[in-house]
Amino acid sequence: MRKLVVPIVLICVCIALTRLTVRIAPYLVGIDTLSEQVNGTIPAGMWYVVGMESLSVIFNLAAIFCAGWLLFRIVNILKERTLSHEKQ
């Protein structure tokens, strides 16, 4: 069962980071835009939104990867146990 601890912990961490970025993003962006940022440039708030959304996607992909890793580990453990029972 120790083989399953690392994937489970990483899944939990990635999900927590995803939820954190989704919750923090509105507070970082705010509702005010400086007048010098509107003169043909992208407002800083938009960069924050894009950055937070990108982090959220990265954390979601990492959680999916960890879930696949966990399933792979579970299948390998089950195969090892069935082979050990067949040998006896």
Side-chain angles (χ1 to χ4, degrees), residues 62-75:
I64 291 169
F65 172 75
C66 291
W69 182 27
L70 178 64
L71 289 175
F72 178 74
R73 286 264 179 114
I74 290 171
V75 168

Side-chain angles (χ1 to χ4, degrees), residues 28-46 48:
L28 289 178
V29 173
I31 57 172
D32 297 330
T33 304
L34 299 175
S35 60
E36 61 267 8
Q37 293 174 337
V38 181
N39 297 331
T41 61
I42 298 175
M46 186 60 84
Y48 287 133

Side-chain angles (χ1 to χ4, degrees), residues 10-58:
L10 287 177
I11 288 173
C12 293
V13 167
C14 290
I15 291 172
L17 288 173
T18 300
R19 293 188 54 85
L20 180 72
T21 55
V22 168
R23 299 267 185 198
I24 287 179
Y27 298 109
L28 289 178
V29 173
I31 57 172
D32 297 330
T33 304
L34 299 175
S35 60
E36 61 267 8
Q37 293 174 337
V38 181
N39 297 331
T41 61
I42 298 175
M46 186 60 84
W47 287 111
Y48 287 133
V49 169
V50 169
M52 286 295 163
E53 289 294 324
S54 300
L55 280 175
S56 180
V57 168
I58 289 169

